[in-house]
Each structure stands twice: as structure tokens, then as C-alpha cells.
Amino acid sequence: MTGKRILLVEDEAAIREMLVMALERAGFAVVEAANSQQAQDALAEQLPDLILLDWMLPGTSGIDLAHRWKKQELTREIPIIMLTARSEEDDRVRGFDVGADDYVTKPFSPRELIARIKAVLRRTVGHGEEEALEVNGLVLDPVSHRVTINGRKVDIGPTEYRLLYFFMSHPERVYSRSQLLDHVWGGNVYIEERTIDVHIRRLRKVLTGEGHDALIQTVRGSGYRFSSQV
Ligand code: CA
């Protein structure tokens, strides 16, 4: 991840400065743009590995830019994370419609954003060279399908493995039971939502040994979240 180039398009100077600091501290190289023109200029100069794109920009909006870049041959493959102050479901859907790879709703913590950036970069790094996922000594290797905790192999069932893989590649976000069904079981399978709780319980049990079960958090009334933050 270190040395990956990020193009940050954000018109608010204070947010931009805060993000530049956090991203550079995390080892990313950042190019800043305060508006769509500067963003176009930066892209013409050198293509980044990922674009952080504010939704609300003066003039051409972030959505219009995302739409344009996802249509252009040269920029199509660059993952885009939208930064948005809006949280309405419609807007999220629109964000994904234009091909944004993820979105983060303001206010967010730099730590959360960086976890999302890493997850998106991991997903978009060429297939077949999938990197192992690691959080606090918990390692999942998608190539060998092995899970280890501090170097010790753990026994994990196939469903719990898929669940853990999904959580580790989509950290710091709450998923409802029906969303987990869609993503992990594939949606067209008939499974009661209660079944998910059973697999979550089994997964936690697998992770209990050294306290990694705490990474799988229950969000009351909403669902579950994989998070290294308390
Ligand atoms: Ca803005």
C-alpha cells in the first residue's frame, strides 16, 4: 500500500489539509485538487492509484466527474471513493450507479477512511495476486484459504470463512442481516436471517482465543460490523 498515489478532490481547504496529513502519515502520496479543473489537470499529468472525490464541488459536481472518468478509457479502472455529507439511500445508489467503488459519509474518522482505502485498493489490485488480509494479528490468506491468529492456524468452517473474508475486506461499516445474506450467501438462497446469527456466533467462537471475537461487533437494531475500533 505504501507509496500508492491518491488524488484528493475536495474544495474545503480545512478538510483537504486534514486528509492530506492523515493520508501521508499512512504512507500514501497525495495530489490535491480543489475543483474539477485542477482534478482534470492532475489526471492529465499522472494517473493516481485511487481517487478520493468530494460529492459537493462548486461547478462540476463530484458525481459528474465520477461519471465522466468511469466512461473514459484512460481513467475507467481507477477506483473512486466518494466523500459525501449526504446519507440518503438514493444518493448512495446514485453514487454506485456512476461507478464509485465506495463512499464515505462525513463526518468520518481518518482511520475509517484509510481502512476503506486499503480495502478498495486490495479489491482492485489485479486479480490472482490477492494479498492476505491482516488485522491485529488475525490473518486471512485468500490464496490458501488459511486463517491464522498470531501465526497459529485456526479451524474455520467454509461459511464462517466466507463471512470473515467479507468482513475483513469491507471493514468499518455496518451490514444488515439481509445485506450479509446478499453478499456472503448470494441472495438467491433461502436462508432465514436468524441463521446468520448462528454463523456469527460460530465465527466469534473461532476468533475467541486471543480476543479477536471483539472485531465482530453487533450494532443494535442494524446488524454487524467488522471493526478494530472499540
Ligand atoms: Ca465540498
Side-chain angles (χ1 to χ4, degrees), residues 9-12 15 54-58 83 106:
V9 189
E10 164 68 66
D11 60 310
E12 279 167 74
I15 298 180
D54 185 29
W55 185 293
M56 297 294 281
L57 290 170
L83 307 176
K106 294 175 185 174

Side-chain angles (χ1 to χ4, degrees), residues 20-217:
V20 169
M21 232 170 9
L23 292 166
E24 288 184 343
R25 204 180 300 134
F28 295 105
V30 188
V31 177
E32 297 174 56
N35 54 50
S36 54
Q37 189 52 52
Q38 288 180 12
Q40 284 298 144
D41 293 347
L43 280 177
E45 199 150 301
Q46 194 178 355
L47 294 178
D49 296 296
L50 181 142
I51 300 171
L52 278 181
L53 180 56
D54 185 29
W55 185 293
M56 297 294 281
L57 290 170
T60 313
S61 76
I63 278 293
D64 292 337
L65 284 177
H67 196 59
R68 185 190 299 171
W69 292 337
K70 286 296 182 185
K71 277 203 302 204
Q72 287 171 353
E73 185 84 30
L74 197 64
T75 46
R76 188 184 306 162
E77 303 290 326
I78 304 172
I80 297 176
I81 298 181
M82 301 288 309
L83 307 176
T84 170
R86 310 173 174 191
S87 55
E88 290 87 354
E89 204 62 36
D90 275 0
D91 287 341
R92 294 186 189 189
V93 172
R94 252 185 91 198
F96 284 111
D97 266 357
V98 299
D101 297 81
D102 203 351
Y103 62 90
V104 177
T105 309
K106 294 175 185 174
F108 51 80
S109 71
R111 198 173 158 176
E112 176 192 359
L113 178 66
I114 284 160
R116 295 282 195 83
I117 290 172
K118 288 183 175 173
V120 167
L121 284 174
R122 242 183 250 118
R123 291 207 295 272
T124 50
V125 164
H127 297 285
E129 47 166 321
E130 278 184 289
E131 285 179 54
L133 305 172
E134 196 273 326
V135 174
N136 299 348
L138 169 66
V139 178
L140 181 149
D141 180 354
V143 178
S144 66
H145 278 224
R146 272 213 178 154
V147 177
T148 55
I149 293 177
N150 299 329
R152 202 169 32 79
K153 185 177 178 294
V154 296
D155 284 326
I156 185 166
T159 304
E160 287 71 38
Y161 172 86
R162 288 211 310 275
L163 198 51
L164 182 61
Y165 182 49
F166 179 75
F167 275 135
M168 289 183 81
S169 50
H170 299 81
E172 309 295 345
R173 179 187 295 180
V174 180
Y175 286 94
S176 68
R177 287 172 179 78
S178 66
Q179 285 172 324
L180 287 174
L181 261 184
D182 281 349
H183 290 293
V184 180
W185 278 263
N188 49 6
V189 186
Y190 182 75
I191 292 177
E192 284 184 64
E193 294 193 355
R194 257 182 311 145
T195 312
I196 292 174
D197 299 331
V198 173
H199 288 287
I200 292 272
R201 242 191 333 268
R202 285 190 197 151
L203 177 57
R204 280 186 175 138
K205 208 169 161 195
V206 169
L207 302 178
T208 306
E210 302 188 35
H212 291 85
D213 52 314
L215 294 167
I216 315 280
Q217 301 173 354

